[in-house]
Amino acid sequence: MEGTVQGHRDGHGFVVRDDHQADIYIAPQEMKNVLHRDRVKTRIVRYDKKGRPEGRVIEILDRKKAPIIGRLLHESGIWLLAPEDKRYGQDIIVPRNGIADAKAGQVVAIELMEPPSMHSQPVGRVTEVLGEIDDPGMEIEIAVRKYEVPHIFSDQALAQAAALPSTVGAADRKGRVDLTDVALVTIDGEDARDFDDAVYCEPVKIGRSKVDNGWRLIVAIADVSHYVRPGEPIDLDAYERATSVYFPRRVIPMLPEKLSNGLCSLNPEVERLAMVCDMLVDSSGEVQAYQFFPAVIRSAARFSYTEVAAILANTRGPEAARRTALVPHLLDLHDVYRALLRARIKRGAIDFETTETQIVCDENGRIEKIVPRTRNEAHRLIEESMLAANVCSADFIARAKHPALYRVHEGPTPEKKTLLQNYLKALGLGLSIGDDPTPAEYQAIAAATKERPDAAQIHQMLLRSMQQAIYTSKNIGHFGLAYEAYTHFTSPIRRYPDLLVHRVIKALLDSRRYAIGARAEGEPAKKARLAKAVKTAKNAKVGTPALPPLVPGGELEAWEIAGAHCSANERRADEASRDVEAWLKCRYMREHLGEEFGGAVSAVTSFGLFVQLDGLYVEGLVHVTELGGEFFRFDEVRQELRGERSGLRYVVGTRVRVQVSRVDLDGRKIDFRMVREGEEATTTSLRTRRDKAAERTEAATSEIVALKDADRVVKAVAKAKARARSGASSRPVRAGKTAVRKTATGRPGARGTSRR
């Protein structure tokens, strides 16, 4: 079987098969021959007691050319790279002439020179020095390279962006509807810099009946496709990125800043080009008619969500007084939103109330605080307006039978459906899902249980049973939103699929077809790239810039390749963002070692409880061994840990009090220990107890790290000596029998277990 190696920080690994069958377990000894993300050919050699396959690597098909990021370490004459991504499983030896200008302890990028083997470690050389681990923003620099996020625009793309005009010209207005006199407004977050969308609403009569009133809802979206043409340098870079990536205090944009924050951003009081979805919405929230057209607009104002929510709550308040002329339009927008919301409820769309958080950093990029990001009426108003425009774009394309990228969300898999049914049955709710589940069933369960003490656990199980949304050319509907057809149309500045949808709609308005894959290159280059593009996109688990080919009869396949690429890069962006947030939270919690906090259980597993701290919104693990001197059994059906002797139960939502016992910056892990009743009654002060606990934890951690480092260096030296004696390779070797590496607290390299 062919597949991609997925390493594990504990030394073993898996081969993720191309045929999407069960992953093949690779033992630690076998993993010495390969690296994380290698493409290999494997043979299944046995099955374990649970029927899971175990295999042996018989051929390495391809090795990733991307650099490996980590800390450069030096001890006993040996230079080593400790990879930041622990899934690589082994350190990389760096020859003395391959360290460039790097210093011990710095974060560097390594290019692999010699692959690993059963008896020798891999060898590499430094290609880039990123800096010290404590440098501001270093966690982002690591993440963009660790996840191979494209973060540098090509010289050609930057030159093309620089040559673009700064304003809308007379030639740009040709063939467009002039909406500059319409009071369109943008509503975004306080920290937003690019404005994709502007909205306007006014009441209208629909039909001849006096009671059949409705609204005209206009959603204007930045016309990125006017400036970003297929095959040009900006388009090639945008396709490679596929999405903007958002980090605390920094954004890796899909488009150059001149476009994303300037020419394509719907800034107030300046003319901008837009694609408009003009809708008639009746009193029940149903869209009775719509039309798409290119336009020129002038945003009347830039509102924040907080400002709009304040105006809607008090039309005579100070916020409303500053925007008197626009208040009636905001009230009309609120009215159409409530109608759309009624239609959403009737449709049975799933709507869970979840708490999103925002990390507030200081000037050095360190966390000052973590605050909840509250969704108010303004957020929901814009969300429903964008959903309506996205549905209209999907309907427009589907009616024309033109291929495009749909945003698809499938229902639960048979396995997840059965697990959820058994869970709901065990709770005795009297509510469940059928063999062919519908969104309305999910929403009914969520609504009926929202006041229960275990509502958080029930809603989490509902969410976990559903699949991840993807981009594909096959229109099979959106389960969560209860739509038969759904696309992404409203964010072409930050999502490439939206840009493709704009191009399709424009082509249909001009009575032609959009040929995806048309690139600015000659036929030989297209043919040479075709086989590689198809194979890469089919096999890739992460996004790679495999441009969709344009070949006779291959149109649908080209759309499918583009969808797989955009879906994979979306997941990559999410993983990189979560990695940075986890690093920041770990760094933040290192300052609270030994301190006690109240919290609630956020997840239950067979190996312990994940607890989210009150007010901090930081999650950590209470290992099952910290729960007391008895055996705790995990009940998968009820999603709980239960003590066999005491009958003590832990489920999602259980209130607990914990102490921060360990922070693993490298593994992005925080460990808690349970604080039992009576432990607080001591004669020492809280500050003294915290300091002593922190000292004990740091001392124990330092000792363990030192022992592991010494052991690793001794093994590396022994391997290097053995290889030198065999004559296979000359590597720098010095005696290192009792080496103990002196490193900073935040040194990558500590080992641990991953959450999943």
Side-chain angles (χ1 to χ4, degrees):
M1 288 77 177
E2 294 185 4
T4 303
V5 174
Q6 182 89 35
H8 191 278
R9 60 186 296 122
D10 288 345
H12 60 268
F14 299 90
V15 173
V16 181
R17 292 167 56 170
D18 294 345
D19 58 9
H20 306 296
Q21 298 301 309
D23 295 347
I24 302 172
Y25 173 82
I26 303 296
Q29 191 69 11
E30 280 288 312
M31 284 294 293
K32 291 182 179 180
N33 293 314
V34 296
L35 288 174
H36 172 62
R37 299 182 64 187
D38 283 352
R39 280 195 47 74
V40 299
K41 184 179 291 185
T42 58
R43 177 184 291 117
I44 295 176
V45 295
R46 68 178 65 86
Y47 291 87
D48 65 10
K49 295 179 179 179
K50 295 185 177 180
R52 294 173 297 192
E54 298 181 10
R56 177 179 296 122
V57 175
I58 58 176
E59 183 181 352
I60 297 171
L61 303 175
D62 185 37
R63 281 208 149 93
K64 274 285 181 182
K65 301 299 188 292
I68 301 172
I69 311 301
R71 289 282 293 282
L72 187 65
L73 306 173
H74 184 231
E75 191 65 43
S76 298
I78 301 292
W79 288 90
L80 297 171
L81 179 91
E84 211 284 333
D85 190 342
K86 301 308 170 191
R87 290 176 296 182
Y88 279 100
Q90 52 186 311
D91 295 337
I92 299 168
I93 293 177
V94 182
R96 188 181 300 275
N97 61 359
I99 64 171
D101 297 327
K103 299 177 181 178
Q106 288 186 318
V107 181
V108 300
I110 288 285
E111 177 186 50
L112 206 63
M113 297 167 59
E114 294 182 27
S117 68
M118 188 66 71
H119 303 292
S120 64
Q121 292 175 258
V123 179
R125 66 181 183 88
V126 175
T127 58
E128 183 183 8
V129 179
L130 303 184
E132 303 295 336
I133 189 66
D134 290 326
D135 289 348
M138 180 54 66
E139 68 280 359
I140 297 176
E141 296 297 333
I142 291 173
V144 295
R145 291 163 177 82
K146 177 179 176 180
Y147 293 94
E148 298 181 49
V149 175
H151 59 287
I152 300 175
F153 286 104
S154 66
D155 294 338
Q156 296 87 345
L158 293 175
Q160 185 188 359
L164 290 171
S166 299
T167 58
V168 174
D172 298 323
R173 296 186 181 90
K174 186 177 180 181
R176 293 180 177 270
V177 178
D178 189 341
L179 294 184
T180 54
D181 59 339
V182 177
L184 288 148
V185 297
T186 61
I187 305 175
D188 288 274
E190 283 82 352
D191 55 350
R193 296 178 61 193
D194 55 349
F195 309 110
D196 292 282
D197 54 86
V199 291
Y200 170 81
C201 184
E202 63 182 13
V204 295
K205 287 187 177 181
I206 301 177
R208 298 181 179 180
S209 173
K210 293 183 179 180
V211 297
D212 194 6
N213 296 326
W215 299 269
R216 181 190 185 192
L217 174 61
I218 297 178
V219 175
I221 306 300
D223 190 359
V224 176
S225 63
H226 179 81
Y227 301 103
V228 181
R229 307 293 177 87
E232 293 182 348
I234 294 178
D235 180 53
L236 297 177
D237 277 19
Y239 178 81
E240 182 184 9
R241 296 172 181 228
T243 182
S244 296
V245 187
Y246 293 87
F247 300 110
R249 300 185 66 215
R250 183 179 171 186
V251 177
I252 308 295
M254 186 181 80
L255 300 173
E257 188 173 353
K258 184 169 184 178
L259 287 169
S260 60
N261 295 343
L263 195 55
C264 290
S265 184
L266 305 183
N267 300 320
E269 301 300 333
V270 293
E271 289 189 354
R272 290 288 185 257
L273 304 184
M275 280 296 295
V276 171
C277 180
D278 192 348
M279 296 166 277
L280 285 179
V281 183
D282 64 21
S283 57
S284 64
E286 298 294 333
V287 177
Q288 295 297 320
Y290 65 82
Q291 61 177 339
F292 288 92
F293 54 85
V296 181
I297 71 165
R298 183 193 294 268
S299 172
R302 178 261 200 269
F303 284 98
S304 70
Y305 291 122
T306 304
E307 189 178 6
V308 171
I311 292 173
L312 295 177
N314 182 9
T315 56
R316 296 184 180 181
E319 293 85 0
R322 289 194 294 268
R323 310 277 194 163
T324 306
L326 296 173
V327 169
H329 301 308
L330 293 179
L331 294 176
D332 290 334
L333 280 167
H334 191 239
D335 289 339
V336 76
Y337 148 69
R338 288 190 293 187
L340 291 169
L341 186 60
R342 288 194 294 271
R344 179 192 186 110
I345 295 171
K346 181 180 178 181
R347 196 170 67 245
I350 302 171
D351 187 17
F352 295 123
E353 285 294 335
T354 57
T355 301
E356 295 184 5
T357 58
Q358 177 184 2
I359 294 178
V360 180
C361 297
D362 59 20
E363 294 180 355
N364 295 320
R366 303 295 181 242
I367 292 182
E368 280 188 347
K369 57 183 176 180
I370 303 172
V371 296
R373 197 188 290 268
T374 306
R375 288 178 72 238
N376 55 39
E377 287 289 278
H379 287 88
R380 299 182 180 93
L381 183 156
I382 290 299
E383 180 183 320
E384 288 299 329
S385 299
M386 297 305 112
L387 290 177
N390 286 336
V391 171
C392 289
S393 66
D395 183 73
F396 184 66
I397 294 170
R399 287 176 183 272
K401 298 182 179 179
H402 192 295
L405 286 186
Y406 292 92
R407 183 65 167 176
V408 167
H409 182 223
E410 297 185 76
T413 61
E415 295 81 8
K416 290 184 176 181
K417 179 189 68 178
T418 302
L419 179 62
L420 180 60
Q421 287 173 331
N422 292 337
Y423 169 73
L424 294 173
K425 183 179 179 181
L427 288 181
L429 291 176
L431 293 170
S432 188
I433 59 173
D435 291 332
D436 187 14
T438 65
E441 290 175 332
Y442 273 72
Q443 186 60 23
I445 296 170
T449 58
K450 65 180 180 180
E451 302 298 333
R452 287 174 56 109
D454 56 352
Q457 180 184 15
I458 296 170
H459 293 181
Q460 187 183 88
M461 286 296 294
L462 292 173
L463 280 170
R464 287 170 55 187
S465 71
M466 294 187 288
Q467 300 185 57
Q468 190 175 28
I470 61 170
Y471 296 106
T472 176
S473 61
K474 301 178 181 67
N475 177 25
I476 54 178
H478 197 292
F479 181 82
L481 295 173
Y483 288 132
E484 293 182 0
Y486 186 69
T487 63
H488 274 169
F489 164 78
T490 54
S491 295
I493 289 178
R494 61 185 180 89
R495 292 190 305 228
Y496 198 83
D498 302 55
L499 177 58
L500 291 175
V501 168
H502 276 233
R503 289 173 178 168
V504 171
I505 290 175
K506 274 190 172 181
L508 294 174
L509 293 175
D510 293 338
S511 301
R512 58 182 176 85
R513 291 177 68 85
Y514 170 66
I516 187 174
R519 302 288 169 187
E521 60 183 335
E523 285 301 320
K526 288 182 185 177
K527 291 179 180 179
R529 187 166 40 76
L530 170 60
K532 181 180 178 181
V534 173
K535 183 177 180 180
T536 303
K538 283 184 176 180
N539 294 335
K541 286 290 181 181
V542 295
T544 53
L547 299 179
L550 179 63
V551 292
E555 186 179 22
L556 286 177
E557 186 174 29
W559 279 104
E560 201 59 30
I561 290 171
H565 171 74
C566 292
S567 298
N569 282 18
E570 178 187 43
R571 291 192 296 272
R572 177 177 67 183
D574 290 341
E575 289 171 359
S577 297
R578 284 194 295 267
D579 186 80
V580 168
E581 289 189 7
W583 191 95
L584 288 171
K585 288 180 179 179
C586 286
R587 185 64 181 261
Y588 179 65
M589 292 308 295
R590 281 204 316 185
E591 301 172 3
H592 298 279
L593 276 168
E595 295 188 25
E596 296 174 8
F597 298 93
V601 175
S602 57
V604 182
T605 69
S606 59
F607 53 85
L609 312 170
F610 285 93
V611 176
Q612 186 178 80
L613 303 183
D614 297 337
L616 294 180
Y617 303 97
V618 171
E619 193 175 63
L621 173 69
V622 178
H623 196 268
V624 67
T625 56
E626 293 285 349
L627 296 180
E630 63 175 315
F631 182 77
F632 278 81
R633 186 178 299 278
F634 177 60
D635 188 331
E636 186 177 18
V637 173
R638 290 182 170 82
Q639 290 292 297
E640 68 177 22
L641 277 175
R642 182 189 293 268
E644 287 197 341
R645 176 175 51 80
S646 65
L648 184 63
R649 297 169 57 246
Y650 290 102
V651 298
V652 172
T654 300
R655 299 290 307 167
V656 296
R657 188 162 185 81
V658 296
Q659 182 186 59
V660 183
S661 61
R662 179 175 177 269
V663 176
D664 179 3
L665 197 63
D666 312 323
R668 314 295 195 262
K669 290 183 344 105
I670 301 169
D671 290 336
F672 300 145
R673 76 177 185 90
M674 200 71 76
V675 177
R676 300 187 229 323
E677 186 177 357
E679 283 196 35
E680 295 186 20
T682 64
T683 57
T684 58
S685 67
L686 177 61
R687 175 58 59 186
T688 302
R689 285 187 287 110
R690 288 175 179 172
D691 292 345
K692 287 185 176 180
E695 290 173 4
R696 288 195 301 270
T697 302
E698 289 181 358
T701 301
S702 299
E703 185 178 353
I704 293 171
V705 168
L707 289 172
K708 287 184 176 180
D709 287 345
D711 183 58
R712 184 165 61 185
V713 170
V714 170
K715 289 181 179 178
V717 172
K719 287 183 179 180
K721 284 182 176 180
R723 188 170 178 98
R725 285 196 298 270
S726 65
S729 173
S730 60
R731 295 176 182 169
V733 179
R734 281 178 56 186
K737 293 184 179 180
T738 58
V740 177
R741 200 170 292 131
K742 299 178 182 179
T743 59
T745 308
R747 178 201 57 80
R751 299 292 192 259
T753 56
S754 63
R755 173 176 174 180
R756 290 182 179 85

